[in-house]
Amino acid sequence: MGWLRIREMVRKEFIQLFRDRAVRSIIVMTPLIQLLVFGYVVNYDIKNIRVSLIDEAQTRESRFLIDSLTAGGVFQVASIPASAGDMEKLFLEGKADLGIRIPPDFSNLIRRGKTANIQVLADGGMSNMAAVRISYLSAVIDRFNTSIIHELYNRDLSYGRIDARIRTWYNPNTDSQKFFVPGILAFILMLISMLLTSIAIIREKEVGTMEQLIVTPIKPIELIIGKTIPYIVIALGQAVVITPLAIFWFDIPLAGSVLDLFGAACLFLLSTLGIGLFISTVSKTQQQAMMTTFFFVLPFFMLSGFVFPISNMPIIVQWLTYLNPLRYFLVIIRGVFLKGVGLDVLWEQYAALAALGMVVFAGAIKRFHKRLE
Amino acid sequence: MKTKNITAIARKEFYHLLRDFRSLYLAFAIPLLLILLFGYALSLDVNHIETIVVDREKTDLSRDFISSLEASPYFQIIERADSMKAVINALDHGRARLAIVIPVGWTADLRADRKTTMQVILDGSDPNFAGISSSYISGLIARYNGNLLADFLNRHGMQKISPPVNPQIRVWFNEEMESRNFIIPGIIAIIVIIVAALLTSLVIAREYENGTMETIRSLPIGAGEFLLGKAAPYFFIALTDVLIAVLMGQMLFGIVMKASFWLMLLASSLYIIVALTLGLLISSVTKSQMTANQTAILITYLPSLLLSNFVFPVTNMPVVLQAITKIIPATYYIEILSGIYLKNLGFGLLWPDLLVLLVMSSLLALLNYLVLRKEGF
């Protein structure tokens, strides 16, 4: 193994990369923009539920219901349409999340101890959001019912009931950013390391300089190492820049240790660089390399638990996710950031990541080697 | 503008694609994969919440409560434990995401008509999950309390109270409340971006890199002819992809288009043209495949994924980003598609979105033409 040759190879690669102003700015800007945009966009917090309201009763009770609805600040009466037809139009235009229509005989029924039906219309477009909105509304109505019953019966109804104390661990305010921003770090690392590696090698082939490299005294293994080191350095460099940004800009406290994070990132890069190398051996053009990369990146992204929970997937697909390095890395990065756990609790994830990384990387090197000879 | 010239360029581009068989085949395989994944595997709906239960009482009443939990399709009891240590362990390892602790004295409190507390611990790391499951468990407890109240009234010889207000809930646009119904239209927009914008972002840059641009420039071919020829093969590939996606959505997942098919085709064609012209513009400005593809990811793929109301709700974004979503073509296309798919809207309500796509495609086409002219076409 000639360290000198590897060093020269690394130097050549860096010069080639940074000579291009566009590449320079891409390497710096892409992760920053991705982190900022992703960080603000991925947000499932329920706030500002736009209610379209028709109050045909206009009584003390109906106003009490509306007040208890808007008291928490989550529901906002966004529109007061004149008719049911107008309300439906607002829904078609996407200007309301919930529509509530209180019938004229609302108070009469309630005062006589009967049940008043109110009409609720929900936009089910984004079903996950709709489910939460509906249950928020049900909770408000439950509370309203309890106070009305107390008022009506005017006697002590202190029956034995359960008072649920719901506590949320790891992310007490269920803040979306705390969950997604660490995942974004993982995603950016994956995209950059996979795409840049495969494209850089293919470019060498396309331009024809690969032939020249092969006839130099550099050995295949040295060539591979020299080719991958720059991308390890770039990917880790990006991680070093964007992690503090995530911590300070988005105010995500790092509960665990930086070292655990760094170790996991290195193991993760083993897999992604390996896949990048592999793609470069099976592709002839940059176009092919890019499409093949996307063929890997998209399922990795979707089957990792990043946005879509793994436990929701069919069991066969759940097994498939065990082949996905991003899955393990996400568990680790979220565990370290939110739960403050480390290698001691997550050692299985580290082991899986290491095993996967070594198999992929070794396989890629072997294939690359053969291609060169 | 001569049709002969256009077809010549289109044929050349098509040969490139054919020779590069894998790019072509991935242009069809990626959409298939995405639709299958989203249709079968990916869902934002919450059910089967992994629950760990600590029952310190082991009475009939506590067992009754637990069985009401088991009866619900939303909860799945994966472990019954005796200590908080087991709870912490299960949550730390992510085996369970909800813990319910029934404390000592729970049954006695309830029997004596006293309020009793119960600890519920949620894994809050995934906010989408935490929001939904927290409301499911509150709802379940509220219903259980309703039973306890009925029981109480019964024992005291009182009439059963009917709840004063009963909400009659109707869900529009996605009656089954399944996330795939709103994700599939969005996925079509992503597929078009991958095929029409990402792939084409390389095609002119490739000519520059290989030096063949000089040759083409010396031919008697106009900038407009060159652009049309370059775009034509990708237009047809993208359109085929859209049709495949629509067909699969319908045949495999029963996601039926409620409104007009022709309206969908018109909107898709306009959107494909926007994506193509965007890709080609990036290609002729950057002149290098690596830069082109990174730029294309940054300004076409990621915005379409993130800023288009696809799975990430625009109404939750900061005002600045909400403003940016207005210049993302996918925003309008997804609005049209979900209008057609979920809301059964027609041309009457969708024409403003179509107009935006038309204006975008014309402007981009003009910009493309000007850039190429400046390069000496």
Side-chain angles (χ1 to χ4, degrees), chain A residues 9 12-13 16 19 200-216 218 223 227 372:
Chain A
M9 182 74 206
K12 164 205 157 278
E13 201 70 7
Q16 213 170 23
R19 200 174 42 193
I201 295 172
I202 293 294
R203 192 177 51 186
E204 201 102 45
K205 275 197 210 165
E206 260 191 349
V207 182
T209 45
M210 199 57 142
E211 307 287 307
Q212 291 172 14
L213 277 176
I214 293 171
V215 296
T216 61
I218 197 165
L223 180 65
K227 271 276 178 195
L372 285 183

Side-chain angles (χ1 to χ4, degrees), chain A residues 17 20 22 26 30 33-34 37-38 40-45 47 88 91-92 94 106 110 113-132 134-135 141-142 144-145 148-149 153 155 157-171 174-176 179-180 191 195-196 199 203 206 282-283 285-288 290-292 294-295 298-299 302-303 307-309 311-314 317 338-339 341 345, chain B residues 20 22-23 26-27 29-30 33-34 37-38 40-45 47 50 65 88 91-93 97 106 110 113-128 130 132 135 137-138 141-142 144-145 148-149 152-153 158 161-174 177-179 182-183 194 198-199 202 206 209 234 289-291 293-294 297-298 301-302 306-307 309-313 316-318 321 343 345:
Chain A
L17 268 173
D20 194 341
I26 280 170
T30 316
I33 294 174
Q34 279 190 34
V37 176
F38 245 120
Y40 281 116
V41 158
V42 190
N43 188 340
Y44 289 115
D45 301 342
K47 51 189 181 189
E88 288 176 2
F91 270 81
L92 287 177
F106 180 74
I110 288 181
K114 294 229 171 70
T115 299
N117 288 322
I118 62 172
Q119 307 290 326
V120 175
L121 186 60
D123 183 337
M126 276 198 185
S127 52
N128 52 333
M129 307 280 283
V132 181
I134 290 172
S135 64
I141 290 173
D142 276 343
F144 176 82
N145 281 345
I148 290 286
I149 287 174
Y153 285 77
R155 58 158 288 182
L157 283 180
S158 61
Y159 66 103
R161 62 185 182 282
I162 303 169
D163 178 22
R165 298 278 162 86
I166 301 183
R167 285 191 301 157
T168 316
W169 278 8
Y170 310 127
N171 183 5
T174 55
D175 179 349
S176 282
F179 180 65
F180 288 113
L191 194 63
L195 209 52
L196 281 184
I199 285 192
R203 192 177 51 186
E206 260 191 349
V282 295
S283 307
T285 63
Q286 293 183 45
Q287 197 172 27
Q288 267 188 5
M290 188 179 79
M291 288 300 273
T292 318
F294 266 85
F295 196 73
L298 287 171
M302 278 149 190
L303 299 177
V307 191
F308 303 97
S311 57
N312 275 3
M313 299 169 190
V317 181
L338 300 174
K339 302 187 181 178
V341 292
V345 172
Chain B
D20 179 1
R22 193 147 42 91
S23 284
L26 286 175
I30 289 179
L33 180 78
L34 283 178
L37 274 181
F38 274 100
Y40 281 120
L42 303 176
S43 156
L44 285 170
D45 310 324
N47 36 38
E50 303 92 340
F65 178 78
I88 294 169
L91 282 161
D92 269 356
H93 281 89
R97 295 198 288 172
W106 191 82
L110 288 180
D113 292 334
R114 279 194 305 265
K115 204 180 194 171
T116 187
T117 56
M118 190 173 76
Q119 238 191 81
V120 177
I121 303 164
L122 259 173
D123 180 345
S125 19
D126 179 349
N128 178 53
I132 297 178
S135 59
I137 188 74
S138 318
I141 292 171
Y144 197 78
N145 279 339
L148 289 172
L149 175 62
F152 169 85
L153 294 171
M158 276 187 276
I161 300 174
S162 61
V165 175
N166 171 44
Q168 289 185 325
I169 298 168
R170 282 178 302 154
V171 177
W172 264 20
F173 311 139
N174 184 0
M177 300 256 288
E178 281 195 54
S179 54
F182 76 83
I183 289 175
I194 294 177
L198 289 189
L199 265 184
L202 302 180
R206 192 180 53 209
E209 270 186 12
Y234 294 95
Q289 292 189 67
M290 188 156 170
T291 324
N293 115 58
Q294 290 287 322
I297 289 176
L298 202 60
Y301 172 69
L302 287 173
L306 298 173
L307 300 173
N309 218 8
F310 160 50
V311 274
F312 310 111
N316 272 3
M317 294 175 194
L321 284 182
K343 302 187 180 177
L345 298 186

Side-chain angles (χ1 to χ4, degrees), chain A residues 24-35:
Chain A
R24 261 196 330 256
S25 55
I26 280 170
I27 288 173
V28 180
M29 294 309 290
T30 316
L32 289 182
I33 294 174
Q34 279 190 34
L35 180 70

Side-chain angles (χ1 to χ4, degrees), chain A residues 310-322, chain B residues 40-41 76:
Chain A
I310 291 174
S311 57
N312 275 3
M313 299 169 190
I315 200 80
I316 299 175
V317 181
Q318 288 194 26
W319 288 337
L320 276 178
T321 64
Y322 288 112
Chain B
Y40 281 120
Q76 187 186 5

Side-chain angles (χ1 to χ4, degrees), chain A residues 38-271:
Chain A
F38 245 120
Y40 281 116
V41 158
V42 190
N43 188 340
Y44 289 115
D45 301 342
I46 299 284
K47 51 189 181 189
N48 304 332
I49 302 176
R50 295 167 301 165
V51 177
S52 174
L53 182 81
I54 300 180
D55 181 4
E56 288 172 344
Q58 299 279 3
T59 53
R60 194 179 67 86
E61 283 84 2
S62 73
R63 274 189 290 271
F64 178 44
L65 177 65
I66 297 164
D67 285 345
S68 30
L69 191 69
T70 50
V74 179
F75 292 93
Q76 265 143 18
V77 179
S79 51
I80 305 181
S83 67
D86 283 357
M87 186 193 274
E88 288 176 2
K89 193 152 174 286
L90 286 170
F91 270 81
L92 287 177
E93 289 165 353
K95 288 185 178 144
D97 302 314
L98 280 180
I100 298 173
R101 190 171 159 204
I102 304 174
D105 55 354
F106 180 74
S107 292
N108 279 334
L109 289 167
I110 288 181
R111 286 202 202 108
R112 280 188 282 128
K114 294 229 171 70
T115 299
N117 288 322
I118 62 172
Q119 307 290 326
V120 175
L121 186 60
D123 183 337
M126 276 198 185
S127 52
N128 52 333
M129 307 280 283
V132 181
R133 288 185 196 126
I134 290 172
S135 64
Y136 274 29
L137 179 69
S138 306
V140 169
I141 290 173
D142 276 343
R143 278 198 298 280
F144 176 82
N145 281 345
T146 316
S147 49
I148 290 286
I149 287 174
H150 276 265
E151 209 181 290
L152 281 176
Y153 285 77
N154 200 17
R155 58 158 288 182
D156 186 25
L157 283 180
S158 61
Y159 66 103
R161 62 185 182 282
I162 303 169
D163 178 22
R165 298 278 162 86
I166 301 183
R167 285 191 301 157
T168 316
W169 278 8
Y170 310 127
N171 183 5
N173 305 317
T174 55
D175 179 349
S176 282
Q177 281 174 352
K178 287 208 170 65
F179 180 65
F180 288 113
V181 168
I184 296 162
L185 298 180
F187 180 68
I188 293 174
L189 267 190
M190 176 176 81
L191 194 63
I192 298 282
S193 56
M194 249 157 93
L195 209 52
L196 281 184
T197 327
S198 64
I199 285 192
I201 295 172
I202 293 294
R203 192 177 51 186
E204 201 102 45
K205 275 197 210 165
E206 260 191 349
V207 182
T209 45
M210 199 57 142
E211 307 287 307
Q212 291 172 14
L213 277 176
I214 293 171
V215 296
T216 61
I218 197 165
K219 294 198 189 91
I221 186 72
E222 294 163 0
L223 180 65
I224 295 167
I225 294 173
K227 271 276 178 195
T228 38
I229 284 179
Y231 299 100
I232 296 178
V233 172
I234 289 173
L236 287 178
Q238 285 175 336
V240 168
V241 172
I242 57 181
T243 310
L245 190 71
I247 295 172
F248 295 113
W249 182 272
F250 287 110
D251 208 10
I252 316 280
L254 177 64
S257 94
V258 179
L259 214 62
D260 282 336
L261 214 55
F262 191 76
C266 291
L267 291 179
F268 178 63
L269 284 177
L270 213 55
S271 302

Side-chain angles (χ1 to χ4, degrees), chain B residues 256-275:
Chain B
V256 183
M257 220 177 335
K258 290 182 177 163
S260 157
F261 173 79
W262 298 109
L263 195 59
M264 190 281 300
L265 213 57
L266 173 68
S268 302
S269 306
L270 279 177
Y271 178 63
I272 292 171
I273 294 171
V274 174

